[in-house]
Amino acid sequence: MKRTRSFSKATAMQSPTFSLATKLNVTDDITHNHRPAVIGHRGSLYTALENTSRSFIEAAQAGADGIELDVFLLKCGTLVVFHGTGTDQSPGLLSSYCGIEGSILEYTADEARRLTFNKHSDQFG
């Protein structure tokens, strides 16, 4: 017979064994002295095209503490900011942005500059 033990929310809130800070061995009081960080997801996605310098600048001007972005190393050694679709095993896919198969990783910087993006893609809001 399998034994189960149930806990009420109140019990869980009072028990130090249910504290994430305890589990992570956090010794500083992180819950009362800091405001949450505001992170611009790919910049300021509601005021500018995401992952563009304009979007990053607008996020900073709006008061964002940081910006989340995806950076890829092209086959020529150049870093590029690009979101793309895909998984961790197959990142930077171009199909939803450009309508072509393949990944941004297969391109040089010169080749990537010549890609034509579908401005009507649902990825561009």
Side-chain angles (χ1 to χ4, degrees):
M1 174 182 219
K2 184 177 178 183
R3 293 181 66 184
T4 60
R5 187 173 178 190
S6 63
F7 294 95
S8 70
K9 184 175 180 182
T11 303
M13 296 297 284
Q14 295 169 357
S15 173
T17 60
F18 286 90
S19 165
L20 181 59
T22 301
K23 293 281 186 194
L24 297 176
N25 290 326
V26 175
T27 56
D28 296 333
D29 180 6
I30 61 170
T31 59
H32 300 290
N33 297 325
H34 305 283
R35 69 174 179 80
V38 175
I39 307 298
H41 189 244
R42 300 182 211 139
S44 179
L45 86 123
Y46 293 111
T47 62
L49 187 59
E50 66 183 32
N51 279 329
T52 61
S53 17
R54 179 176 165 217
S55 184
F56 299 151
I57 290 167
E58 288 193 20
Q61 289 173 339
D65 298 306
I67 297 168
E68 179 277 333
L69 61 136
D70 299 318
V71 179
F72 290 90
L73 181 64
L74 299 178
K75 70 180 186 181
C76 64
T78 300
L79 294 174
V80 64
V81 174
F82 180 73
H83 177 63
T85 56
T87 64
D88 287 343
Q89 294 76 29
S90 183
L93 299 180
L94 297 166
S95 57
S96 62
Y97 289 94
C98 302
I100 58 175
E101 296 301 315
S103 167
I104 193 76
L105 298 172
E106 300 165 4
Y107 288 79
T108 65
D110 287 336
E111 293 166 338
R113 282 186 195 96
R114 290 192 295 269
L115 289 171
T116 302
F117 289 87
N118 176 4
K119 67 180 179 181
H120 300 294
S121 169
D122 63 353
Q123 298 293 325
F124 296 124

PDB file of all heavy atoms in Angstrom, residues 35-54:
ATOM      1  N   ARG A  35      13.420  45.289  -5.564  1.00  0.00           N
ATOM      2  CA  ARG A  35      12.256  45.272  -6.445  1.00  0.00           C
ATOM      3  C   ARG A  35      12.527  44.255  -7.550  1.00  0.00           C
ATOM      4  O   ARG A  35      13.677  43.957  -7.866  1.00  0.00           O
ATOM      5  CB  ARG A  35      12.001  46.655  -7.036  1.00  0.00           C
ATOM      6  CG  ARG A  35      13.040  47.116  -8.030  1.00  0.00           C
ATOM      7  CD  ARG A  35      12.620  48.448  -8.665  1.00  0.00           C
ATOM      8  NE  ARG A  35      13.598  48.917  -9.601  1.00  0.00           N
ATOM      9  CZ  ARG A  35      13.729  48.473 -10.853  1.00  0.00           C
ATOM     10  NH1 ARG A  35      12.938  47.537 -11.305  1.00  0.00           N
ATOM     11  NH2 ARG A  35      14.647  48.961 -11.655  1.00  0.00           N
ATOM     12  N   PRO A  36      11.487  43.718  -8.150  1.00  0.00           N
ATOM     13  CA  PRO A  36      11.695  42.768  -9.247  1.00  0.00           C
ATOM     14  C   PRO A  36      12.380  43.445 -10.429  1.00  0.00           C
ATOM     15  O   PRO A  36      12.164  44.627 -10.688  1.00  0.00           O
ATOM     16  CB  PRO A  36      10.282  42.331  -9.640  1.00  0.00           C
ATOM     17  CG  PRO A  36       9.381  42.855  -8.595  1.00  0.00           C
ATOM     18  CD  PRO A  36      10.094  43.931  -7.854  1.00  0.00           C
ATOM     19  N   ALA A  37      13.205  42.706 -11.129  1.00  0.00           N
ATOM     20  CA  ALA A  37      13.856  43.234 -12.326  1.00  0.00           C
ATOM     21  C   ALA A  37      12.858  43.237 -13.477  1.00  0.00           C
ATOM     22  O   ALA A  37      12.040  42.333 -13.613  1.00  0.00           O
ATOM     23  CB  ALA A  37      15.067  42.383 -12.688  1.00  0.00           C
ATOM     24  N   VAL A  38      12.914  44.265 -14.290  1.00  0.00           N
ATOM     25  CA  VAL A  38      12.083  44.368 -15.483  1.00  0.00           C
ATOM     26  C   VAL A  38      12.981  44.043 -16.671  1.00  0.00           C
ATOM     27  O   VAL A  38      13.980  44.720 -16.909  1.00  0.00           O
ATOM     28  CB  VAL A  38      11.479  45.782 -15.629  1.00  0.00           C
ATOM     29  CG1 VAL A  38      10.715  45.906 -16.938  1.00  0.00           C
ATOM     30  CG2 VAL A  38      10.588  46.101 -14.439  1.00  0.00           C
ATOM     31  N   ILE A  39      12.629  42.983 -17.398  1.00  0.00           N
ATOM     32  CA  ILE A  39      13.444  42.524 -18.515  1.00  0.00           C
ATOM     33  C   ILE A  39      12.644  42.694 -19.810  1.00  0.00           C
ATOM     34  O   ILE A  39      11.533  42.202 -19.936  1.00  0.00           O
ATOM     35  CB  ILE A  39      13.839  41.035 -18.346  1.00  0.00           C
ATOM     36  CG1 ILE A  39      14.499  40.802 -16.989  1.00  0.00           C
ATOM     37  CG2 ILE A  39      14.722  40.581 -19.503  1.00  0.00           C
ATOM     38  CD1 ILE A  39      15.788  41.561 -16.763  1.00  0.00           C
ATOM     39  N   GLY A  40      13.215  43.385 -20.766  1.00  0.00           N
ATOM     40  CA  GLY A  40      12.587  43.568 -22.077  1.00  0.00           C
ATOM     41  C   GLY A  40      12.786  42.313 -22.907  1.00  0.00           C
ATOM     42  O   GLY A  40      13.913  41.972 -23.252  1.00  0.00           O
ATOM     43  N   HIS A  41      11.696  41.620 -23.216  1.00  0.00           N
ATOM     44  CA  HIS A  41      11.777  40.383 -23.992  1.00  0.00           C
ATOM     45  C   HIS A  41      12.030  40.730 -25.448  1.00  0.00           C
ATOM     46  O   HIS A  41      11.154  41.230 -26.144  1.00  0.00           O
ATOM     47  CB  HIS A  41      10.487  39.580 -23.823  1.00  0.00           C
ATOM     48  CG  HIS A  41      10.562  38.220 -24.406  1.00  0.00           C
ATOM     49  ND1 HIS A  41       9.767  37.830 -25.450  1.00  0.00           N
ATOM     50  CD2 HIS A  41      11.333  37.150 -24.099  1.00  0.00           C
ATOM     51  CE1 HIS A  41      10.044  36.576 -25.758  1.00  0.00           C
ATOM     52  NE2 HIS A  41      10.988  36.145 -24.955  1.00  0.00           N
ATOM     53  N   ARG A  42      13.246  40.498 -25.902  1.00  0.00           N
ATOM     54  CA  ARG A  42      13.697  40.866 -27.244  1.00  0.00           C
ATOM     55  C   ARG A  42      13.584  42.370 -27.479  1.00  0.00           C
ATOM     56  O   ARG A  42      13.335  42.834 -28.574  1.00  0.00           O
ATOM     57  CB  ARG A  42      12.948  40.088 -28.318  1.00  0.00           C
ATOM     58  CG  ARG A  42      13.145  38.599 -28.182  1.00  0.00           C
ATOM     59  CD  ARG A  42      12.438  37.852 -29.300  1.00  0.00           C
ATOM     60  NE  ARG A  42      12.016  36.555 -28.803  1.00  0.00           N
ATOM     61  CZ  ARG A  42      10.868  35.981 -29.068  1.00  0.00           C
ATOM     62  NH1 ARG A  42      10.011  36.561 -29.862  1.00  0.00           N
ATOM     63  NH2 ARG A  42      10.578  34.815 -28.568  1.00  0.00           N
ATOM     64  N   GLY A  43      13.735  43.120 -26.405  1.00  0.00           N
ATOM     65  CA  GLY A  43      13.667  44.580 -26.486  1.00  0.00           C
ATOM     66  C   GLY A  43      12.325  45.092 -26.004  1.00  0.00           C
ATOM     67  O   GLY A  43      11.771  44.592 -25.040  1.00  0.00           O
ATOM     68  N   SER A  44      11.812  46.076 -26.692  1.00  0.00           N
ATOM     69  CA  SER A  44      10.510  46.659 -26.370  1.00  0.00           C
ATOM     70  C   SER A  44       9.525  46.233 -27.442  1.00  0.00           C
ATOM     71  O   SER A  44       9.232  46.970 -28.383  1.00  0.00           O
ATOM     72  CB  SER A  44      10.634  48.187 -26.321  1.00  0.00           C
ATOM     73  OG  SER A  44       9.392  48.774 -26.040  1.00  0.00           O
ATOM     74  N   LEU A  45       9.022  45.020 -27.303  1.00  0.00           N
ATOM     75  CA  LEU A  45       8.306  44.406 -28.411  1.00  0.00           C
ATOM     76  C   LEU A  45       7.015  45.103 -28.811  1.00  0.00           C
ATOM     77  O   LEU A  45       6.531  44.888 -29.906  1.00  0.00           O
ATOM     78  CB  LEU A  45       8.057  42.920 -28.132  1.00  0.00           C
ATOM     79  CG  LEU A  45       6.827  42.519 -27.338  1.00  0.00           C
ATOM     80  CD1 LEU A  45       6.035  41.560 -28.214  1.00  0.00           C
ATOM     81  CD2 LEU A  45       7.210  41.804 -26.072  1.00  0.00           C
ATOM     82  N   TYR A  46       6.469  45.976 -27.969  1.00  0.00           N
ATOM     83  CA  TYR A  46       5.222  46.646 -28.350  1.00  0.00           C
ATOM     84  C   TYR A  46       5.458  47.989 -29.032  1.00  0.00           C
ATOM     85  O   TYR A  46       4.535  48.589 -29.553  1.00  0.00           O
ATOM     86  CB  TYR A  46       4.328  46.838 -27.127  1.00  0.00           C
ATOM     87  CG  TYR A  46       3.834  45.523 -26.584  1.00  0.00           C
ATOM     88  CD1 TYR A  46       4.280  45.040 -25.368  1.00  0.00           C
ATOM     89  CD2 TYR A  46       2.937  44.742 -27.314  1.00  0.00           C
ATOM     90  CE1 TYR A  46       3.839  43.813 -24.886  1.00  0.00           C
ATOM     91  CE2 TYR A  46       2.497  43.521 -26.844  1.00  0.00           C
ATOM     92  CZ  TYR A  46       2.952  43.064 -25.627  1.00  0.00           C
ATOM     93  OH  TYR A  46       2.526  41.858 -25.153  1.00  0.00           O
ATOM     94  N   THR A  47       6.697  48.470 -29.031  1.00  0.00           N
ATOM     95  CA  THR A  47       6.950  49.775 -29.641  1.00  0.00           C
ATOM     96  C   THR A  47       7.918  49.722 -30.814  1.00  0.00           C
ATOM     97  O   THR A  47       8.066  50.710 -31.525  1.00  0.00           O
ATOM     98  CB  THR A  47       7.499  50.771 -28.597  1.00  0.00           C
ATOM     99  OG1 THR A  47       8.741  50.279 -28.093  1.00  0.00           O
ATOM    100  CG2 THR A  47       6.516  50.961 -27.458  1.00  0.00           C
ATOM    101  N   ALA A  48       8.591  48.593 -30.994  1.00  0.00           N
ATOM    102  CA  ALA A  48       9.554  48.474 -32.091  1.00  0.00           C
ATOM    103  C   ALA A  48       9.676  47.014 -32.489  1.00  0.00           C
ATOM    104  O   ALA A  48       9.342  46.115 -31.707  1.00  0.00           O
ATOM    105  CB  ALA A  48      10.914  49.024 -31.668  1.00  0.00           C
ATOM    106  N   LEU A  49      10.170  46.769 -33.684  1.00  0.00           N
ATOM    107  CA  LEU A  49      10.375  45.407 -34.152  1.00  0.00           C
ATOM    108  C   LEU A  49      11.372  44.708 -33.227  1.00  0.00           C
ATOM    109  O   LEU A  49      12.451  45.240 -32.956  1.00  0.00           O
ATOM    110  CB  LEU A  49      10.890  45.437 -35.586  1.00  0.00           C
ATOM    111  CG  LEU A  49      11.019  44.101 -36.305  1.00  0.00           C
ATOM    112  CD1 LEU A  49       9.673  43.378 -36.386  1.00  0.00           C
ATOM    113  CD2 LEU A  49      11.576  44.324 -37.702  1.00  0.00           C
ATOM    114  N   GLU A  50      11.001  43.534 -32.731  1.00  0.00           N
ATOM    115  CA  GLU A  50      11.842  42.842 -31.750  1.00  0.00           C
ATOM    116  C   GLU A  50      13.217  42.510 -32.305  1.00  0.00           C
ATOM    117  O   GLU A  50      13.415  42.370 -33.509  1.00  0.00           O
ATOM    118  CB  GLU A  50      11.147  41.571 -31.272  1.00  0.00           C
ATOM    119  CG  GLU A  50      10.972  40.526 -32.342  1.00  0.00           C
ATOM    120  CD  GLU A  50      10.226  39.308 -31.845  1.00  0.00           C
ATOM    121  OE1 GLU A  50       9.355  39.432 -30.980  1.00  0.00           O
ATOM    122  OE2 GLU A  50      10.529  38.211 -32.326  1.00  0.00           O
ATOM    123  N   ASN A  51      14.175  42.418 -31.385  1.00  0.00           N
ATOM    124  CA  ASN A  51      15.565  42.078 -31.706  1.00  0.00           C
ATOM    125  C   ASN A  51      16.238  43.079 -32.631  1.00  0.00           C
ATOM    126  O   ASN A  51      17.118  42.726 -33.407  1.00  0.00           O
ATOM    127  CB  ASN A  51      15.672  40.663 -32.297  1.00  0.00           C
ATOM    128  CG  ASN A  51      15.649  39.603 -31.223  1.00  0.00           C
ATOM    129  OD1 ASN A  51      16.097  39.828 -30.115  1.00  0.00           O
ATOM    130  ND2 ASN A  51      15.129  38.446 -31.550  1.00  0.00           N
ATOM    131  N   THR A  52      15.821  44.332 -32.560  1.00  0.00           N
ATOM    132  CA  THR A  52      16.496  45.388 -33.333  1.00  0.00           C
ATOM    133  C   THR A  52      17.125  46.362 -32.348  1.00  0.00           C
ATOM    134  O   THR A  52      16.726  46.458 -31.187  1.00  0.00           O
ATOM    135  CB  THR A  52      15.501  46.162 -34.226  1.00  0.00           C
ATOM    136  OG1 THR A  52      14.505  46.792 -33.385  1.00  0.00           O
ATOM    137  CG2 THR A  52      14.806  45.242 -35.224  1.00  0.00           C
ATOM    138  N   SER A  53      18.135  47.108 -32.823  1.00  0.00           N
ATOM    139  CA  SER A  53      18.750  48.086 -31.925  1.00  0.00           C
ATOM    140  C   SER A  53      17.722  49.105 -31.445  1.00  0.00           C
ATOM    141  O   SER A  53      17.766  49.518 -30.293  1.00  0.00           O
ATOM    142  CB  SER A  53      19.937  48.804 -32.551  1.00  0.00           C
ATOM    143  OG  SER A  53      20.002  48.709 -33.899  1.00  0.00           O
ATOM    144  N   ARG A  54      16.794  49.483 -32.301  1.00  0.00           N
ATOM    145  CA  ARG A  54      15.749  50.430 -31.883  1.00  0.00           C
ATOM    146  C   ARG A  54      14.935  49.847 -30.725  1.00  0.00           C
ATOM    147  O   ARG A  54      14.634  50.539 -29.754  1.00  0.00           O
ATOM    148  CB  ARG A  54      14.835  50.764 -33.058  1.00  0.00           C
ATOM    149  CG  ARG A  54      13.719  51.708 -32.680  1.00  0.00           C
ATOM    150  CD  ARG A  54      12.878  52.121 -33.870  1.00  0.00           C
ATOM    151  NE  ARG A  54      11.655  52.717 -33.378  1.00  0.00           N
ATOM    152  CZ  ARG A  54      10.472  52.571 -33.953  1.00  0.00           C
ATOM    153  NH1 ARG A  54      10.364  51.883 -35.063  1.00  0.00           N
ATOM    154  NH2 ARG A  54       9.408  53.136 -33.438  1.00  0.00           N
TER     155      ARG A  54
END
